[in-house]
Amino acid sequence: MHMKNFIPKFIVIYSFFVWGITEILSTVHILRVLSIRLLYMFTVGIFIYWLWTCNKKKCDNGIRKGNVKEYFLKLTKERQSLEIFLIMAVVFLAGTMFLLSATIVPNNWDSMTYHLARVANWIQNASVEYYPTNIPRQLYYSGFTEYFILHICLLFKNDQFVNLVQWFGYIISALMIYKIARKMDVRRMTSVFSALLFLMCPLAIAESVTTQVDLMAGMWVLIFAYFVLLIGESSHPLWQKENIILVAFCASSVGFAWLTKASVCFMMLPFLFWLFIRCLKKKEKWSSILKSTLMALGIILLLASPGFVRNYKSTGDIFAFEKMAGNLLVKTINPKLLLLNTCKNLTMEMAGKEETDSVWHATMSLAERIGVDIENPEISAYQGFAEGRGCTKSYHHDTAGARVLITVAGFSVLFGGIAFGVIHLKKKEMKTRVYSGYLLTTFFAAGIMFACIRWQPWGNRLLFPTLPMLCILTGYIVDSLSNNSIKIIIISIILLLMYPDAYESVEKQKSDYADFVWAGEDRFDLYFRNRIDNKDIYKAIIEEIHTMNVGEIGLLLDGDAYEYPLWVALKDKDTELHHVVLEDTGSTRTPDCIIAIHRDIGFEEYLTYGTQVYQCIWNYEDDSNFSILVPCEGT
């Protein structure tokens, strides 16, 4: 592999490695600690040897010995103090978030319910094949990010570093923003500024210390967009070796985005349309376009096929639409409803300190003027917008917004975009026209997400991939200013506006989560930092189970129960945990006890599972929502 564009290409290749060995080992149920460690030792050895031989050949990787020192000396001589400051800010923020990510105990609700819970099931089963469960999200929601988490858990035999997967997406996303900006001839200083804008977004900061998947999903959109730009600006024919390789990497990015979070693929459609127009303008042969398309579809289908097979075996539908998030997309193409949905999503991203914020009032007023119910179910996955639900400023990983970034991007488009468009459209250079079209595509890609993702109180995460596009857009327009002094002033003002939210977001992650680790609080207790009221209940359940001599534990949970802490506390080499699905009447399992959560089973009530009758012997403080059942004698 040529060292040019090494990082995005390496990420794609490594992802193929993770995907490949996970799927292959899974088919024969040997997805275990020993097999993963051996494969990694072998692969890392080959990679180190390749780097060594590549260094001997003096590959042009742009980071040869002495280059970094020479680069900073050059900046100092040129008095590029702002650029030095921006780079130092990037390094400081990336390092700070690395420390927090490696420190904080995973605790977000989705992790406890299905992100980490399904990893625990996979490890016990030594396979990612579907298993009986009352939490469908563990099976049918895209799970590629959890493949990386699975490898970390197997390599280290703990969950100490699982948050670093999202931190990795955080850093690589910033790098791809920088690379896309540089590829569009944005000056180095402004490109670093664009990357820093992203790193300072409260939602990006908050997610980088969790096991959510949105940073990784956004990363794949950026890698895809980067390869599309390389293909679109190339003067070579599409079906030439260099472009064939780029098409393969581009298609792989689409496949991995689908496996990570399928909803982000909607953002890719405008880029594909732009690339198609570029091919027509370059007068590409239709045969080349067709062959490239077929090759790309083949790669995407290859990556998606294991999941399709599992879905079909489980539901008879390769997409498992009925099990997926049916509330994700709008249910209409009515322009009024789409406009209102866009405004609702923007309101949530731009949430102020009060529920009755001016932006919220403007959206409510718009709904009244155009005669549309603000809670219309076609554009509302949940009710509550009229009461201000989800419309208050937050630095939480589910609801953190991007008020300053969206405002800055809006002003950039409104005031800078007009002048920018007039100036650039008059230019006859093909390169400038290509970048102008690409920039417009980033704007439409973000707009599609705001219009098509149905509003819900925690929808900020779903809209997350729009934020990098806004950073690229803002950086490009700021860079188009001819007066360097004005440019520096504007960059400084924007960063000053971004700083308070960025600081508060970092401080929240530190004070709400990291400080408790540094203070020596029990790691198990910290799984419940987001739902503290669950801690005593679960500890009581676990304490009761430990008094019993059990080898197999059944989990009868509702669809949103905290499952992962039960695995941490109860799973060992002599104990197995399995889901109890009452609808599975043919089950032959007879667990030694059943933990029932939110199933309304009172003391001494009976439950039949398969051929065995169980009786409730314990409730948490007489609460029938938390029960332990054991087999009845003689059944």
Side-chain angles (χ1 to χ4, degrees), residues 367-398:
E368 186 177 346
R369 288 183 181 181
I370 63 178
V372 175
D373 178 11
I374 197 76
E375 308 286 12
N376 188 308
E378 292 184 316
I379 58 171
S380 301
Y382 297 89
Q383 301 293 299
F385 185 89
E387 289 75 40
R389 188 178 175 201
C391 298
T392 307
K393 179 180 279 191
S394 165
Y395 300 113
H396 189 269
H397 54 257
D398 280 336

Side-chain angles (χ1 to χ4, degrees), residues 441-453:
T441 301
T442 65
F443 178 77
F444 278 115
I448 282 178
M449 291 291 281
F450 276 105
C452 295
I453 296 297

Side-chain angles (χ1 to χ4, degrees), residues 275-284 430 433:
L275 184 58
F276 177 70
I277 297 300
R278 285 292 305 139
C279 288
L280 293 182
K281 287 189 174 182
K282 291 193 295 182
K283 298 181 179 180
E284 289 283 357
M430 179 58 69
R433 290 179 177 271

Side-chain angles (χ1 to χ4, degrees), residues 96-143:
T96 299
M97 298 318 300
F98 174 85
L99 176 63
L100 292 176
S101 296
T103 299
I104 292 172
V105 177
N107 60 74
N108 54 294
W109 186 294
D110 287 347
S111 288
M112 302 298 103
T113 299
Y114 74 98
H115 288 311
L116 289 177
R118 64 178 166 191
V119 170
N121 280 277
W122 291 345
I123 291 173
Q124 177 177 270
N125 300 338
S127 172
V128 296
E129 287 296 318
Y130 289 170
Y131 48 87
T133 177
N134 291 296
I135 306 177
R137 291 187 293 174
Q138 292 184 6
L139 306 183
Y140 304 107
Y141 277 27
S142 304

Side-chain angles (χ1 to χ4, degrees), residues 285-514:
K285 293 181 180 179
W286 282 101
S287 59
S288 296
I289 296 175
L290 179 61
K291 287 188 289 186
S292 299
T293 301
L294 291 175
M295 183 186 74
L297 288 174
I299 293 172
I300 295 169
L301 288 174
L302 170 68
L303 290 170
S305 58
F308 285 163
V309 171
R310 289 190 286 268
N311 285 341
Y312 185 78
K313 287 164 61 178
S314 176
T315 68
D317 173 11
I318 62 172
F319 296 105
F321 277 127
E322 290 186 3
K323 302 291 186 178
M324 296 289 282
N327 61 359
L328 183 63
L329 298 177
V330 294
K331 308 293 185 181
T332 180
I333 56 173
N334 185 314
K336 287 185 178 180
L337 290 174
L338 292 177
L339 173 62
L340 186 59
N341 187 65
T342 301
C343 292
K344 288 176 71 175
N345 283 328
L346 284 169
T347 300
M348 185 172 55
E349 291 283 0
M350 299 181 67
K353 292 182 179 180
E354 303 294 335
E355 290 181 355
T356 54
D357 182 73
S358 58
V359 181
W360 178 85
H361 275 296
T363 302
M364 293 293 292
S365 177
L366 174 65
E368 186 177 346
R369 288 183 181 181
I370 63 178
V372 175
D373 178 11
I374 197 76
E375 308 286 12
N376 188 308
E378 292 184 316
I379 58 171
S380 301
Y382 297 89
Q383 301 293 299
F385 185 89
E387 289 75 40
R389 188 178 175 201
C391 298
T392 307
K393 179 180 279 191
S394 165
Y395 300 113
H396 189 269
H397 54 257
D398 280 336
T399 53
R403 187 184 184 101
V404 175
L405 175 61
I406 291 176
T407 302
V408 166
F411 275 103
S412 297
V413 172
L414 186 62
F415 295 106
I418 296 173
F420 161 81
V422 171
I423 293 170
H424 281 66
L425 288 177
K426 286 182 178 180
K427 293 185 177 181
K428 300 194 183 280
E429 295 92 337
M430 179 58 69
K431 203 172 185 181
T432 302
R433 290 179 177 271
V434 170
Y435 295 153
S436 299
Y438 184 85
L439 191 67
L440 191 61
T441 301
T442 65
F443 178 77
F444 278 115
I448 282 178
M449 291 291 281
F450 276 105
C452 295
I453 296 297
R454 197 152 54 135
W455 180 85
Q456 50 186 289
W458 44 87
N460 289 18
R461 291 192 292 105
L462 302 176
L463 297 166
F464 178 79
T466 63
L467 303 184
M469 299 302 165
L470 297 180
C471 295
I472 294 169
L473 185 71
T474 301
Y476 194 95
I477 292 175
V478 169
D479 193 69
S480 66
L481 297 170
S482 56
N483 189 306
N484 196 55
S485 297
I486 293 177
K487 187 187 307 180
I488 291 174
I489 291 172
I490 289 175
I491 288 175
S492 301
I493 291 173
I494 292 174
L495 291 178
L496 287 172
L497 291 172
M498 292 280 290
Y499 174 76
D501 279 346
Y503 175 81
E504 290 295 332
S505 186
V506 174
E507 178 60 28
K508 178 178 176 61
Q509 314 316 314
K510 174 183 173 294
S511 60
D512 283 10
Y513 309 116

Side-chain angles (χ1 to χ4, degrees), residues 583-595:
E583 293 76 13
D584 184 11
T585 56
S587 175
T588 58
R589 291 191 178 279
T590 55
D592 300 319
C593 71
I594 294 177
I595 298 172

